[in-house]
Amino acid sequence: MDNGYFKLATHSLPKDTQVFQFLQNLPEKVTMASPAINVMTDLRRVKAVTVSSDLSIDSALQKMISEGVRLLLVTTSDGAVIGAITAHDILGEKPIRLISQEHIPHSEIQVAHVMTPRNQLEALDMEDVYQASVGDVVEVLREARRQHALVLDRSTEATGPLVRGIFSITQIGKQLGMEIQATGRVQSFAEMEAWLIHGEMGMSSAVVS
């Protein structure tokens, strides 16, 4: 019986089929004079990667690796931002201090122990970002000695201020075609995976300044 619907053909999945990975359409190449918006990860187009504060740092690092990011926003169950955690927080000296000074076993170290809490986070204003250049953002990151900067959108009166975007010194460097250091050394995902596999035994060699 013809019900007016088009009959769609089905196919078996070819070998080596993978899941489509959405990538924000950022320009491949920029200069220091390019608009800053050209290097910002826009959370209207890319889903924010979040984590709860009670998650172990090993699980948080695994999430960074699987999502291909080095920063996670820490949120409550209703989505309120309470902090941020970076790969540097996990692979740096913070866990070592907790183990040696607070006698907290590595397996019990949670995101809450090493994250930067919300009241210590500084964010750029979206309206300022619209007027800024890539070089302006690089200078902010260098002066703050940070790998990342959050961008706050205050125009959303219905819901209140929202984290609208994220700047990453690594992403900016890729688009500029050069390596930029704000502070310490940016870990590769291979190094992050190695640390996760070797755990506490490999911790000392993974510490960054």
Coordinates of all heavy atoms in Angstrom, one line a residue, residues 18-23:
Q18 N 33.8 5.6 11.2 CA 34.0 6.3 12.5 C 32.9 7.3 12.7 O 32.0 7.6 11.8 CB 35.3 7.1 12.4 CG 36.5 6.2 12.3 CD 37.8 7.0 12.3 OE1 37.9 8.1 12.8 NE2 38.9 6.4 11.9
V19 N 32.8 7.9 13.9 CA 31.8 8.9 14.2 C 32.2 10.2 13.7 O 33.4 10.6 13.9 CB 31.5 8.9 15.7 CG1 30.5 10.0 16.1 CG2 31.0 7.6 16.2
F20 N 31.3 11.0 13.1 CA 31.7 12.3 12.6 C 32.0 13.2 13.8 O 31.3 13.3 14.8 CB 30.5 12.9 11.8 CG 30.7 14.3 11.4 CD1 31.5 14.5 10.2 CD2 30.2 15.4 12.0 CE1 31.7 15.8 9.8 CE2 30.4 16.7 11.6 CZ 31.2 16.9 10.5
Q21 N 33.1 13.9 13.7 CA 33.5 14.8 14.8 C 33.3 16.2 14.3 O 33.9 16.7 13.3 CB 35.0 14.6 15.1 CG 35.4 13.2 15.6 CD 34.8 12.9 16.9 OE1 34.7 13.8 17.8 NE2 34.3 11.7 17.1
F22 N 32.4 16.9 15.0 CA 32.1 18.3 14.7 C 33.3 19.2 15.0 O 33.8 19.1 16.2 CB 30.8 18.8 15.4 CG 30.6 20.3 15.1 CD1 30.0 20.7 14.0 CD2 30.9 21.2 16.1 CE1 29.8 22.1 13.7 CE2 30.7 22.6 15.9 CZ 30.1 23.0 14.7
L23 N 33.7 20.0 14.1 CA 34.7 21.0 14.4 C 34.2 22.4 14.1 O 33.6 22.6 13.1 CB 36.0 20.7 13.5 CG 36.7 19.4 13.7 CD1 37.8 19.2 12.7 CD2 37.3 19.3 15.1

